[in-house]
Amino acid sequence: MLFKLPKKFVRSAVMALGLCALSVGAAGQASANTKIVLKAGHASSTTSTGHHAFEFLGKELAEKTNGQITIQVFPSAQLGSERELIESIQLGNVDMAFVSSAVLGNFNKEFFALDIPFMFKDRDSVYRVLDGQIGQGLLDSLNKVGIKAVGYWENGFRQLTNNKKVIRSPKDLEGMKMRTMENEVHIAAWKAEGANPAPLAFGELFTALQQGTFDAQEGPINLFYDMKFHEVQKHISMTNHVYSPWPVMINPDVYNRFSDEQKVIFNDAMKKTTEYQRELAKKADDNAVANMPNVTITKLTPEELEAFSSKMGPIHELVKKKVGAKIVDSIIAEVND
Ligand code: EAX
């Protein structure tokens, strides 16, 4: 027996739909009474700092628009892997998402410039680049591939982890099967370090580590803890080899349908959320370290770090060939400023 929806319900649903459809203004902008539910996806868990940031942004937008704009968050790659999320933003199947810049390099090669290992020294040098002209230029460069990027949340400095032994040198890493992000610069870099690297989507990583498909991987400590990788990896070497930002994206048509007032509210809310998320990320790393007593966390000496970074010359050349020396040199200049 088919469930018969009460007429009143059907009518109001059609009305609401009608309202939505009807009230997109001349400039394609939503009218004052259009309710907008932004579908937002990401590949990390519901306890990640990125997920909390989407929730915070959702509250800010709902509050400042009297509930007109809200966000529905889909974690854990429910709406697809990071690569698929980027494609869905381009196609308009997903409204918002954050992914690691490393994956974005496949859609806009200029982002490879951020993936040169051992380039960033600390968060200050990172934010000088990301929040400055270079970072903004990279965000704007996504317009040409149908993506509006609205800021950088922090995934974090990445560390080398494995389940075999304490790694203090490239020699210790030799031949280890290692998972990397879907990024040819990362694959080349870890090959140069002596590992046996292969890319894999983030959502499949825990199982692959559990099944021994990989001995090693690399990523931010807060995400390592968040995704329970400490159940399948026993050693962390503090390499701080790459800083991973999470560029935040929105479908350009969705953004352009905001009224002028809504655009101002959205931009302000994004700024506030980014400050909130970066503070969370800072604390999350420390919290993770404090909560993984069974994991050996090895701090490397400057000489040991040098042994890794000294192998990155060819990677600098590889990236310069791909994106041009100008952006690479300007990032290094900004970092050392
Ligand atoms: O969102 O794939 C990874 O290791 C990244 O850290 C991922 O982008 C998390």
Side-chain angles (χ1 to χ4, degrees):
M1 207 290 292
L2 260 185
F3 174 66
K4 264 175 71 35
L5 288 171
K7 281 214 178 356
K8 194 158 63 40
F9 172 87
V10 176
R11 214 178 15 261
S12 55
V14 171
M15 283 297 293
L17 276 173
L19 264 175
C20 287
L22 278 174
S23 56
V24 173
Q29 289 185 335
S31 76
N33 55 24
T34 308
K35 287 234 179 281
I36 300 171
V37 180
L38 298 172
K39 202 161 109 179
H42 65 87
S44 57
S45 78
T46 54
T47 52
S48 75
T49 62
H51 187 82
H52 293 320
F54 263 143
E55 291 175 329
F56 182 95
L57 179 64
K59 283 202 194 81
E60 276 291 299
L61 291 173
E63 209 179 284
K64 301 281 184 340
T65 65
N66 305 321
Q68 233 185 322
I69 302 179
T70 54
I71 293 187
Q72 199 176 2
V73 190
F74 296 84
S76 312
Q78 285 172 3
L79 299 181
S81 69
E82 295 196 327
R83 175 190 284 272
E84 289 159 343
L85 280 171
I86 298 168
E87 288 158 357
S88 296
I89 293 280
Q90 292 176 310
L91 296 168
N93 299 337
V94 171
D95 302 318
M96 290 192 75
F98 64 79
V99 301
S100 261
S101 61
V103 184
L104 266 174
N106 302 298
F107 294 79
N108 182 349
K109 62 181 174 42
E110 287 156 64
F111 273 86
F112 287 140
L114 293 177
D115 285 297
I116 296 177
F118 304 101
M119 186 166 62
F120 289 109
K121 297 194 176 28
D122 52 30
R123 280 194 175 88
D124 292 349
S125 65
V126 166
Y127 296 155
R128 266 202 311 280
V129 170
L130 294 185
D131 299 340
Q133 261 185 336
I134 298 168
Q136 192 54 52
L138 281 172
L139 293 179
D140 297 345
S141 70
L142 289 170
N143 293 334
K144 66 174 179 280
V145 290
I147 294 168
K148 179 168 180 57
V150 287
Y152 295 100
W153 291 345
E154 171 160 315
N155 188 0
F157 273 101
R158 303 177 75 89
Q159 318 302 341
L160 174 60
T161 80
N162 83 95
N163 64 344
K164 298 278 183 218
K165 60 184 175 179
V166 169
I167 293 179
R168 306 191 75 104
S169 68
K171 188 125 191 43
D172 297 334
L173 177 62
E174 225 155 64
M176 272 198 196
K177 294 176 293 176
M178 182 172 178
R179 178 266 177 178
T180 72
M181 288 186 280
E182 297 160 292
N183 177 294
E184 55 196 279
V185 175
H186 284 243
I187 295 166
W190 288 108
K191 213 172 261 159
E193 296 290 1
N196 170 8
L200 182 75
F202 186 65
E204 300 160 44
L205 183 50
F206 184 89
T207 310
L209 293 170
Q210 192 177 42
Q211 293 168 347
T213 311
F214 295 102
D215 309 316
Q217 68 96 37
E218 51 77 52
I221 282 196
N222 71 84
L223 208 59
F224 179 92
Y225 174 64
D226 199 51
M227 301 299 284
K228 300 191 176 4
F229 290 167
H230 48 96
E231 294 172 2
V232 287
Q233 294 268 286
K234 286 293 165 251
H235 305 281
I236 297 178
S237 304
M238 296 297 284
T239 47
N240 282 318
H241 53 270
V242 158
Y243 175 87
S244 256
W246 272 331
V248 183
M249 306 171 288
I250 184 167
N251 170 272
D253 299 338
V254 168
Y255 183 83
N256 294 333
R257 267 203 297 281
F258 290 157
S259 65
D260 295 348
E261 189 199 353
Q262 288 170 332
K263 283 192 179 90
V264 172
I265 291 170
F266 179 88
N267 298 343
D268 292 350
M270 258 307 293
K271 266 204 198 65
K272 200 171 168 190
T273 304
T274 299
E275 281 156 28
Y276 163 79
Q277 190 276 342
R278 289 179 181 180
E279 273 315 303
L280 271 189
K282 248 188 233 144
K283 298 193 189 90
D285 272 1
D286 303 341
N287 173 54
V289 169
N291 288 288
M292 297 190 289
N294 307 329
V295 174
T296 60
I297 299 181
T298 305
K299 204 164 174 0
L300 303 185
T301 65
E303 295 70 31
E304 288 169 332
L305 284 172
E306 171 63 21
F308 283 98
S309 61
S310 62
K311 295 180 182 297
M312 291 298 108
I315 305 305
H316 280 245
E317 295 320 307
L318 168 74
V319 174
K320 282 182 178 175
K321 237 194 258 109
K322 282 185 177 303
V323 306
K326 189 164 166 294
I327 185 168
V328 174
D329 295 342
S330 58
I331 291 175
I332 292 169
E334 186 72 74
V335 165
N336 298 327
D337 186 20

